[in-house]
């Protein structure tokens, strides 16, 4: 009971409290009192909302608070809202918060925001409507919340200040809904998307989100005109600014920034782009919780949110292209491709995306880019899932627009065509990533791509894309081993090899081949089919020979496919280390089977038969036969050598080495012969048949087209005959007649080959004696015709001689001489000797030589068998006659003729004579001839034992026996070894070559083996020869000796070579005699010759008395040591020796060579450099590991030698160091970096230009390494910073930018610019202040001196200094240094800005020269515009500094600094701007220099132009100065201030807004001692009066009058007349003022008369005109007397001066006579206008005075005076009209008669029409007063009538007619 009563008492108590509150509210009789009560009781009252009475009170309150002036306790309500869980209380709290938030002061609103956002996410989770209302309140408060400067301490602490660190959910909530707000657009319904919902939404937002942002469909939410309504655009911008602050982290900013960057409003998108650029580097795109929402935004949802706009879709897809995890969303990717590339109308379905035009093309392009990204970065698992579907869609995309030819509705524009190309490329990439879709039996996709390539009609660019797609998928087929797929691929490739451009395909009725696909087909054959695949090789053969005009790349690809080495290079990924050894290639590189190869390409029968035709598949096109035979030969020889274990390693030179081995290696040749014999008797018929087919095909190719032949097939036939058994060759004997054509051919080579083939076949035992005799008779008959043969006949004789010589020699070897009678052989021999002796035809002589060669070789011709008419001596003489001319055939024949000579003692023996003759051939210059001599000497010495005759035996059988020789070889060797030491260059060269030939051909014989050390010494002594051929020969000789020697000999040789290389004292190899030639003739000229031999050196030293010359020249000669020659290190040279020694010889235990060798690889001498590279390649198998192993030794050697004494060493060290540091990590050479840069800059100032160039190259390398490190970003930032710390001091030091060497300075600058351009902000930011300071200084120091000269002498070049400065200014603005400076400024942040400002200030103070000063001003401008946020706090300091610099003597510099002032005004404080204004006023008003006034104008105009807002806000300060200064007498000053005034003031009356300020300024300076200022001030007063409009108010008149009065004071000056006119206008506009202030009117009259009395001739005329106007305006006072007294004496005086002689006026000035006339005219005007008959007491007397003065002026007949008179009289007569009572006196009438007489007398018809018209007007006016005297009327009428009759002008006559009419009316 007690509890119940207590509860009731509590309720009663609460009710009483509520009633009291209600009463107080009711009694509040003002808004202020109500506001106080609500502040105290509203929040507690709402706590009692459980009572219905409280609700009624609230309703009353709602009624009372409608006035917006009543402030509500928003803060306490908000606090109560956050603390109270009761929904009803929160609802009312929120209601009053919403009403009161806009009523409280802005500062209070800003303080509410932190409290509002606390627990915002939790509040929204409790009630969505409350959350929407709170977020709306947040948006309303946000514009008033002060955000700190970005990047400063307050900004970094803002998140903590707002307590968002502890409440991250609130930050995420705000960021989330801020992003949604950015997506918000008003007024779009989703029923356009799905057709089912009627809820309003917009792209990217669900209906619930849309409602949330619209306060659940409150229409006024986004209407700025409504109370509490917001401007959507401004709100988005405010939200973005808040998100960009430190209150949020990058992960929270990302999505809003992304959304904003794609907004159509540039203000929003610019903010979004800026934020996105800052955020994106710190966001990981590899998170599913980020990528998944992006996909959802892209696609939207048919029942909730529509997709985002296309611009945002583009951005989203662009982000997908940077995310690997995005490639895992296979379903979304497929859908994206489907919607992105196939338009709705094509796909047949309705999609949510409906785009057209450029937007669709952009989106499709981005989708293709994403597709390519997926193909490159996707995992195999994901690609296998999505690739088939995506490729299908891409094919649909292409085919539905027309395929292979685009339809008229398909791709037509360039953009659409590029999309078509992207589609093909994407198909290729996806197919490559998913091989299973390619590797199907029908090869559907591959066929489709091949067809596209051949028939695509969109243009060449699309074909490139298709070819790229085919290139992408090639690897998929290269990996497969499936037989079915390979079979289909072979068929497809063969089909496309046979297609020709223009071929009609079966695809469509109009389809045809537009381009060849043979190149890509050959590529596929070479990459996808094994080397042993015969069809693949057949495709290569077709590529080479099928088409005569085939593209070079197709032929080249075909050749690569046939070459095993190149095939392995193309398929190197499948190679393995065993490929290089002799074990042979892997299965993929297995040679094709010879029998199968021949069966496929040569054995298919044709109908050519024996009619000069060829059998074989290749003859489908005869041009494929030659490459087919060549390839079959290669396979045959390779298989033969492989089966015997003799195949050489497969490398780039393997085919040449194989051919060389077969031609020169007797063991290899014997093994090949053995293999071919086995094939000939093989039990497998196909093998035997293949060999025969190859031989037959080669023979048929030789005899093709009646002996024309095909390529080298004849050589191949002779070769196979020489290696094959007689059994195989015998099958071709029956075809001998077909050789007659080739033997008689017009081709020299064909005749030679055919003749040798004839000798091989015809000598075979299967050839019957009868057939032989027939051929011999036929050929012998042709031979005998040699004397008269020419042209084709001579060719036939040549062929016949060769054929018979080969026949008789081979018959002799086969022991078939009995098959022919002796007579033909003797007759043939006689004819051959006759030909040799008598013919002049070189070809026939060569044939004779060849015949003797072959006959002697096989002992057919002997000394005993010589015809009696010819002797051995004569024969030798004839042979030597040809040999001395360098005929190699004759030389070889001579050596072989020696084979038939016996070894005899005595010099007279035939053999010795031949040897002496051969020795005498050393004078021949052709080196080829010397090798022929060496071969001849070898044959002469050992006969058939010489290896040079290995290939001479071309038929089966043992080697013939050699002639008996005992001492010949030894004697020849001794002779040649002795001659190798000769000082005669020709003999030494020949001897070295001969020695090489002897060692090579006879090295297996004991005499040579016994003398190997002597040969080594001879060769070594020749390595230093200057002749490269001698070097190469000696090198090859040493290599040969090395191969034949034992291990001790080999090590000794290597030790000597390395010792000569590493020795620090150069040695001249060999002995020096007086005749030793040390230098080339002409290399060291002396004036009358040149130093060549050692004897010359001694003579020269003796002549000059300086023995040291001997040593100096010998030192020079030492440079010609073996290492300066390239030739010594050829293919068979010293490199092979050193290479072998590095493995297991001397070098293996002595690796110190590497450091020196590395440097020598970069020697300036090309020969040395090439030689050392050969040695390096031979010694070092793995260059990288070797360099790493000896890196410190190499670097030490280079650093120690880079400053060496010899320029070659310095240059080589630079180049070597550049190569050494490239591609290696910084840690490898970090400890050397400082020393490297130091030495580099020293060498850059070397005395030799080539060394400087090398040092420059090294510096560029170092720079490029640094730049690459800088470009690498964070991963290399530490290394980059370390390098920068080492490099920048050098670049900025006296060794760099301040170097005296121009090259060094230029490089340092270029390097610096590159570093600035490429470095990341993080790396370079710390160096920016110093860099900018130095670069600004360099702008002047690096300017060419010629510019200064031209500037000082500009007038000599027809230019002005200002024009040159303008050009300099233009060049500075576009200079690379200014770009670098701008780049540096872009890197600034808050901490570095302070240092930067200090640096720039120092640079500005120290700047010398226009470029630097202008550069400094541009930097200030850039900071003010592009970095205003950071620079604002420093603007005052800079503005203060610029005040001192703006007064530069150079106008361009001064103007630039003034412009900088204008930009600085944007950011400066009001106080500093006022200080600048004060400075400008001081410059203008107090400076005596005109340039200072220009500077003031520049400053004010710049402030007006570049800081318009600030200028307008302080217009009362700036514009008065502007108004005064625009009256300046200096044209440029006036223009500047005039432009400023015009651009900032609208209308002339605007001057009244600043009237007090202007007049105050003017009054202050009217007493200025500077005339320009004083005059400008006076003119300013005049301008005030003129610009004041119609009437001037009394208040303004009170202000203006003192200044105007003061302005009129003082002496006259040019322009004062403007002030006087303004005075008259002031008088006209201030009638009320004058009436109220009579004393002012009197003063005005006095002032006017004073000014009119001025004596200045130029001013007086204007003053009198002003007086005329004044008396008209000031008509309340009679001033006739004053005027008459003033002008009367003046007129009289000027009339007297009229006859004085005139003086020529100055330029632009009026003459004295003109001034007098104008002055008199002005005086007349003033006089005639001054009479006012209404107030003048005595009109008659006044008219008499006027008449007197007019009579004086009338005598001058001056036009100006007459015009003034007539105009004045017109005015006077008009005034007299109506004043007739004052004119009725006899005197007055007489005066009028005189006026009329003067008018009549002044009529002259030669006057101008305008003058006559003015006189007519005066007459017309006079007619109005003429009725006073009847006689006057009559006389005037008569005069006017006469004038009218004589007048020519209609206008004048009309005036006179009117006057006559008036006179007629008044006549008596």
């Amino acid at each position: 009971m007690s509890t119940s009563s207590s509860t009731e008492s509590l309720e009663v108590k609460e009710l009483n409290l509520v009633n009291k509150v209600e009463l107080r509210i009711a009694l509040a009789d003002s808004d202020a009192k109500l506001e106080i009560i609500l502040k105290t009781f509203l929040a507690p009252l709402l706590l009692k909302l459980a009572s219905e009475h409280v609700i009624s009170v609230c309703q009353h309150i709602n009624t009372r608070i409608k006035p917006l002036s009543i402030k509500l306790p928003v803060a306490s309500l908000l606090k109560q809202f956050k603390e109270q869980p009761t929904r009803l209380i929160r609802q009312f709290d929120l209601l009053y918060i919403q009403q009161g938030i806009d009523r409280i002061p802005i500062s209070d609103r800003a303080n509410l925001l932190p409290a509002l956002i606390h627990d915002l996410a939790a509040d929204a989770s409790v009630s969505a409507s409350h959350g929407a209302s709170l977020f709306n309140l947040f948006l309303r408060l946000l514009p008033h919340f002060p955000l700190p400067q970005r990047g400063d301490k307050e900004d970094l602490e803002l998140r903590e200040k707002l307590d968002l660190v502890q409440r991250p959910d609130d930050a995420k909530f705000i960021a989330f809904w801020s992003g949604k707000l950015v997506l918000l657009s008003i007024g779009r319904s989703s029923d356009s998307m799905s057709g089912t919902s009627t809820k309003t939404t917009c792209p990217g937002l669900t209906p619930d989100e849309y409602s949330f942002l619209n306060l659940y469909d409150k229409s006024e939410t986004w209407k700025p005109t409504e109370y509490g309504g917001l401007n959507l655009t401004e709100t988005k911008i405010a939200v973005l600014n808040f998100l960009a602050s430190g209150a949020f982290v990058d992960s929270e900013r990302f999505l809003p920034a992304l959304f904003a960057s794609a907004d159509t409003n540039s203000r929003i998108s610019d903010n979004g782009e800026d934020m996105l650029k800052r955020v994106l580097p710190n966001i990981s795109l590899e998170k599913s919780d980020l990528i998944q929402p992006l996909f959802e935004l892209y696609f939207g949802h048919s029942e909730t949110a529509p997709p985002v706009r296309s611009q945002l879709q583009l951005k989203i897809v662009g982000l997908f292209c940077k995310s690997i995890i995005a490639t895992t969303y296979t379903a979304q990717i497929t859908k994206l491709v489907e919607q992105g590339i196939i338009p709705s109308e094509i796909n047949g379905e309705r999609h949510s995306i409906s785009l057209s035009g450029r937007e669709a093309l952009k989106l499709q392009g981005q989708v293709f880019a994403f597709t390519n990204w997926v193909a490159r970065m996707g995992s195999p698992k994901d690609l296998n899932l999505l690739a088939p579907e995506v490729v299908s869609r891409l094919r649909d995309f292409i085919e539905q627009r027309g395929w292979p030819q685009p339809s008229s509705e398909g791709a037509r524009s360039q953009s659409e065509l590029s999309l078509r190309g992207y589609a093909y490329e994407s198909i290729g990439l996806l197919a490559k990533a998913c091989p299973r879709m390619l590797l199907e039996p029908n090869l559907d996709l591959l066929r489709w791509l091949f067809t596209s390539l051949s028939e695509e009609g969109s243009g060449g660019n699309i074909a490139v894309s298709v070819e790229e797609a085919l290139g992408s998928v090639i690897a998929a087929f290269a990996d497969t081993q499936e037989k079915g797929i390979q079979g289909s691929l072979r068929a497809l490739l063969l089909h496309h090899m046979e297609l020709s451009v223009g071929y009609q395909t079966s695809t469509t009725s109009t389809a045809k081949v537009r381009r060849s696909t043979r190149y890509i087909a050959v590529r596929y054959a070479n990459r996808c089919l094994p080397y042993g695949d015969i069809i693949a090789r057949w495709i290569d053969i077709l590529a080479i020979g099928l088409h005569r005009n085939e593209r070079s790349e197709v032929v080249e690809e075909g050749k690569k496919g046939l070459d095993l080495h190149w095939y392995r290079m193309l398929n190197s990924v499948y190679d393995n280390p065993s490929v290089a050894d002799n074990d042979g290639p892997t299965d993929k590189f297995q040679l094709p089977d010879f029998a199968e190869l021949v069966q496929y390409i040569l054995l298919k029968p044709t109908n050519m038969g024996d009619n000069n035709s060829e059998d074989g598949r290749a003859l489908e096109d005869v041009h494929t036969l030659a490459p087919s035979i060549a390839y079959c030969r290669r396979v045959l020889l390779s298989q033969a050598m492989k089966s015997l274990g003799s195949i050489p390693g497969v490398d780039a030179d393997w085919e040449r080495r194989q051919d060389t081995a077969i031609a020169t290696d007797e063991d290899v040749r014997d093994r090949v012969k053995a293999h071919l014999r086995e094939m000939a008797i093989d039990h497998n018929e196909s093998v035997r048949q293949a060999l025969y087919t190859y031989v037959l095909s080669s023979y048929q190719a030789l005899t093709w087209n009646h002996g024309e032949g095909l390529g080298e097939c004849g050589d191949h036939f002779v070769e196979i005959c020489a290696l094959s058994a007689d059994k195989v060759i015998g099958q071709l004997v029956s075809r001998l007649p077909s050789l007659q054509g080739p033997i008689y051919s017009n081709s020299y080579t064909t005749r030679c080959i055919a003749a040798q083939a004839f000798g091989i076949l015809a000598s075979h035992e299967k050839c019957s004696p009868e057939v032989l005799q027939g051929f011999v008779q036929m050929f012998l008959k042709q031979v005998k015709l040699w004397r008269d043969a020419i042209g084709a006949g001579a060719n036939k004789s040549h062929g016949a001689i060769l054929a018979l010589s080969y026949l008789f020699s081979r018959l002799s070897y086969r022991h078939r001489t009995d098959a022919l009678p002796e007579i033909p052989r003797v007759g043939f021999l006689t004819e051959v000797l006759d030909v040799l002796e008598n013919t002049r035809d070189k070809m026939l002589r060569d044939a004779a030589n060849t015949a003797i060669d072959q006959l002697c070789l096989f002992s057919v011709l002997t000394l005993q068998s010589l015809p009696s008419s010819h002797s051995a001596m004569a024969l030798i003489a004839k042979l030597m006659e040809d040999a001395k001319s360098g005929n190699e055939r004759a030389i070889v024949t001579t050596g072989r003729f020696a084979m038939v000579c016996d070894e005899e003692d005595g010099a007279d023996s035939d053999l010795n004579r031949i040897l002496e003759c051969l020795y005498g051939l050393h004078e021949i210059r052709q080196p080829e001839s010397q090798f022929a001599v060496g071969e001849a000497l070898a044959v002469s010495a050992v006969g058939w034992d010489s290896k040079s005759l290995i290939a001479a035996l071309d038929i089966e059988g043992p080697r013939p026996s050699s002639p008996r020789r005992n001492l010949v070889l030894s004697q020849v060797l001794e002779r040649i070894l002795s001659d190798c030491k000769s000082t005669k260059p020709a003999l030494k060269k020949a001897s070295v070559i001969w020695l090489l030939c002897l060692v090579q051909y006879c090295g297996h014989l004991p005499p040579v083996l016994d003398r190997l050390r002597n040969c080594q010494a001879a060769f070594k002594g020749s390595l230093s020869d200057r002749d490269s051929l001698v070097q190469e020969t000696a090198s090859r000789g040493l290599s040969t000796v090395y191969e034949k020697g034992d291990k001790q000999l080999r090590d000794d040789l290597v030790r000597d070579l390395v010792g000569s290389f590493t020795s620090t004292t150069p040695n001249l190899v060999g002995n020096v005699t007086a005749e030793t030639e040390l230098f080339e003739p002409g290399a060291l000229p002396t004036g009358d010759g040149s130093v060549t031999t050692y004897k010359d050196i001694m003579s020269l030293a003796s002549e000059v008395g300086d023995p040291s010359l001997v040593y100096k020249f010998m030192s020079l000669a030492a440079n010609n040591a073996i290492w300066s020659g390239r030739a010594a290190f050829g293919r068979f040279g010293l490199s092979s020796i050193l290479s072998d020694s590095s493995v297991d010889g001397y070098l293996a235990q002595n690796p110190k060579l590497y450091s020196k060798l590395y440097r020598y690889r970069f020697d300036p001498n090309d020969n040395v450099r090439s030689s050392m590279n050969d040695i390096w390649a031979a010694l070092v198998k793995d260059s990288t590991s070797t360099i790493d192993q000896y890196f410190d030794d190499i670097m030490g050697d280079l650093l120690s030698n880079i400053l060496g004494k010899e320029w070659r060493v310095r240059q080589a060290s630079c180049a070597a160091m550049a190569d050494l540091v490239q591609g290696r990590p910084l840690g490898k050479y970090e400890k050397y970096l400082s020393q490297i840069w130091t030495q580099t800059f020293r060498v850059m100032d070397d005395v030799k230009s080539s060394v400087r160039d090398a040092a420059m190259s090294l510096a560029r390398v170092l720079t490029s390494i640094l730049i690459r490190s800088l470009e690498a970003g964070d991963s290399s930032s530490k290394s980059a910073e370390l390098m920068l710390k080492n490099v920048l001091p050098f670049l900025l030091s006296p060794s760099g930018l301040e170097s005296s060497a121009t090259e060094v300075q230029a490089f340092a600058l270029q390097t610096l610019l590159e570093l600035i351009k490429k470095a990341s902000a993080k790396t370079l930011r710390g160096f920016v202040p110093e860099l900018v300071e130095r670069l600004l200084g360099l702008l002047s120091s690096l300017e060419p001196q010629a510019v200064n000269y031209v500037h000082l002498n500009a007038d000599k070049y027809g230019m002005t200094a200002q024009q040159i400065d303008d050009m300099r200014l233009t060049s500075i603005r576009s200079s690379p240094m200014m770009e670098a400076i701008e780049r540096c400024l872009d890197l600034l942040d808050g901490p570095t800005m302070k240092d930067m400002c200090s640096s720039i200030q120092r640079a500005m103070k120290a700047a010398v020269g226009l470029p630097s000063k202008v550069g400094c001003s541009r930097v200030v401008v850039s900071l003010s515009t592009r970095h205003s946020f950071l620079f604002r706090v420093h603007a005052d300091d800079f503005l203060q500094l610029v005040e001192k610099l703006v007064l530069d003597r150079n106008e361009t510099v001064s103007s630039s600094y003034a412009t900088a002032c204008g930009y600085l005004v944007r950011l400066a404080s009001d106080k500093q701007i006022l200080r600048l204004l004060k400075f400008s006023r001081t410059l203008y008003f107090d400076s005596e220099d005109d340039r200072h006034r220009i500077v003031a104008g520049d400053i004010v105009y710049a402030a007006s132009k570049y800081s318009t807002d600030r200028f307008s806000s302080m217009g009362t300060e700036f514009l008065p100065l502007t108004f005064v200064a625009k009256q300046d007498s200096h044209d440029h000053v006036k223009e500047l201030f005039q432009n400023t005034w015009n651009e900032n003031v609208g209308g002339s009356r605007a001057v009244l807004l600043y009237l007090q300020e202007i007049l105050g300024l003017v009054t202050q300076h009217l007493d200025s001692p500077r005339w320009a200022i004083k005059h400008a001030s006076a003119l300013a007063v005049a301008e005030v009066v003129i610009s004041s409009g119609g009437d001037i108010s009394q208040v303004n008149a009170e202000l203006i009058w003192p200044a105007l009065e003061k302005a009129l004071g003082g002496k006259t000056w040019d322009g004062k007349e403007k002030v006087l006119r303004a005075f008259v206008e002031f008088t006209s506009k201030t009638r009320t003022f004058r009436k109220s202030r009579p004393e002012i009117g009197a003063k005005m009259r006095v002032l006017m008369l004073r000014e009119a009395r001025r004596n200045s001739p130029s001013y007086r005329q204007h003053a009198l005109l002003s007086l005329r106007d004044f008396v008209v305006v000031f008509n309340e006072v009679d001033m006739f007397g004053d005027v008459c007294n003033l002008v009367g004496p003046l007129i009289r005086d000027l009339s007297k001066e009229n006859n004085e002689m005139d003086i020529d006026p100055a330029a632009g000035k009026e003459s004295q006579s003109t001034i007098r006339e104008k002055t008199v005219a002005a005086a007349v005007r003033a006089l005639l206008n001054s009479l006012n008959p209404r107030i003048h007491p005595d009109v008659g007397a006044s008219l008499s005075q006027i008449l007197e003065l007019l009579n004086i002026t009338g005598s001058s007949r001056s036009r100006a005076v007459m015009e003034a008179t007539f105009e004045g009289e017109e005015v006077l007569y008009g005034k007299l009209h109506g004043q007739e009572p004052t004119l009725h006196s006899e005197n007055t009438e007489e005066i009028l008669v005189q006026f009329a007489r003067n008018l009549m007398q002044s009529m002259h018809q030669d006057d101008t029409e305008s003058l006559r018209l003015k006189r007519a007007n005066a007459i017309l006016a006079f007619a109005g007063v003429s009725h006073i005297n009847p006689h006057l009327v009559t006389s005037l009428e008569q005069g006017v009538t006469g004038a009218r009759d004589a007048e020519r002008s209609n206008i004048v006559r009309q005036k006179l007619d009117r006057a006559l009419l008036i006179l007629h009316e008044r006549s008596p």
Side-chain angles (χ1 to χ4, degrees), residues 1609-1676:
K1611 297 185 294 185
T1612 59
W1613 40 275
D1614 290 344
K1616 187 179 180 181
E1617 63 274 8
K1618 297 178 184 178
V1619 184
L1620 187 57
R1621 286 198 296 269
F1623 167 75
V1624 175
E1625 188 167 345
F1626 178 79
T1627 306
S1628 173
K1629 293 178 180 180
T1630 57
R1631 189 175 301 273
T1632 304
F1633 174 64
R1634 286 190 281 115
K1635 289 181 179 179
S1636 63
R1637 298 282 300 277
E1639 72 278 7
I1640 298 297
K1643 190 174 292 187
M1644 289 179 178
R1645 179 180 178 184
V1646 171
L1647 281 176
M1648 187 66 251
L1649 293 173
R1650 185 192 70 191
E1651 293 302 316
R1653 291 189 179 95
R1654 299 286 187 184
N1655 294 323
S1656 171
S1658 60
Y1659 176 74
R1660 185 165 50 189
Q1661 56 178 314
H1662 300 290
L1664 291 173
L1665 288 175
S1666 297
L1667 177 61
R1668 186 271 314 265
D1669 296 335
F1670 182 82
V1671 298
V1672 172
V1673 172
F1674 207 76
N1675 54 13
E1676 64 268 22

Side-chain angles (χ1 to χ4, degrees), residues 1237-1430:
W1237 276 103
T1238 302
Q1239 307 293 59
T1240 301
F1241 274 95
R1242 289 181 181 175
V1243 185
M1244 285 173 69
D1245 197 18
D1246 198 272
V1247 294
K1248 187 165 180 60
S1249 61
S1250 62
V1251 179
R1252 294 197 300 272
D1253 293 340
M1256 194 70 72
S1257 299
L1258 171 59
R1260 279 194 289 268
V1261 168
L1262 295 172
T1263 303
S1264 64
I1265 293 173
L1266 175 56
I1267 290 173
R1268 285 196 297 271
S1269 299
L1270 296 174
E1271 290 177 332
D1274 293 338
S1275 60
S1276 301
S1277 60
K1278 183 178 179 181
S1279 301
E1281 289 181 13
L1282 178 62
M1283 295 183 73
L1284 275 178
K1285 289 179 181 178
N1286 284 279
V1287 174
L1288 284 180
F1290 286 109
L1291 295 177
L1292 301 175
S1293 68
S1295 299
L1297 287 173
E1298 299 177 3
S1299 173
S1300 58
T1302 306
E1303 296 88 350
V1304 176
Q1305 192 180 66
F1307 169 75
L1309 176 61
Q1310 182 181 1
T1311 303
L1312 202 57
L1313 297 180
E1314 284 292 320
L1315 293 179
I1316 294 171
K1317 181 179 179 180
K1318 299 296 179 62
S1320 64
K1322 181 179 179 181
T1323 305
L1324 192 62
R1325 186 174 289 123
F1327 303 96
V1328 163
E1330 183 181 3
L1331 284 174
V1332 171
E1333 181 180 358
R1334 299 298 295 276
L1335 286 174
L1336 287 172
L1338 287 171
L1339 285 171
S1340 289
S1341 60
L1342 295 183
E1343 185 182 44
Q1345 294 298 321
V1347 175
N1348 289 325
Y1349 174 79
V1350 174
H1351 187 271
L1352 293 173
N1353 299 273
D1355 54 335
K1356 295 182 180 179
Y1357 300 95
M1359 302 176 70
T1360 64
Q1362 186 59 45
Q1363 289 176 322
I1364 297 174
D1365 282 346
D1366 291 341
M1367 289 187 285
R1368 296 167 77 185
L1369 190 61
T1370 302
S1371 65
I1372 293 167
R1373 289 172 178 169
S1374 59
S1375 69
M1377 280 198 288
M1378 280 308 302
E1379 293 179 7
I1381 291 171
E1382 293 289 350
R1383 159 73 173 153
C1384 288
L1385 297 181
D1386 290 340
L1387 303 179
L1388 292 174
D1389 58 5
T1392 55
M1393 177 59 79
K1394 184 177 181 181
D1395 296 336
M1396 170 60 76
C1397 291
S1398 300
S1399 298
I1400 295 175
Q1401 288 175 354
R1402 288 194 299 271
M1404 293 171 70
K1405 294 174 183 177
V1408 176
L1410 181 141
S1412 293
K1413 293 178 179 179
V1414 171
C1416 290
S1417 69
R1418 287 187 58 82
V1419 168
V1420 173
V1421 171
S1422 181
L1423 290 173
S1424 302
T1425 53
R1426 299 168 58 190
H1427 310 280
S1428 57
F1429 190 79
L1430 299 174

Side-chain angles (χ1 to χ4, degrees), residues 1534-1555:
K1534 181 177 181 179
E1535 180 184 4
L1536 289 171
F1537 284 105
Q1538 184 69 57
N1539 292 338
T1540 305
W1541 179 264
N1542 293 341
E1543 293 174 11
N1544 291 274
V1545 176
S1548 59
R1549 288 181 59 84
V1551 68
L1552 298 178
L1553 298 174
Y1554 312 100
L1555 183 60

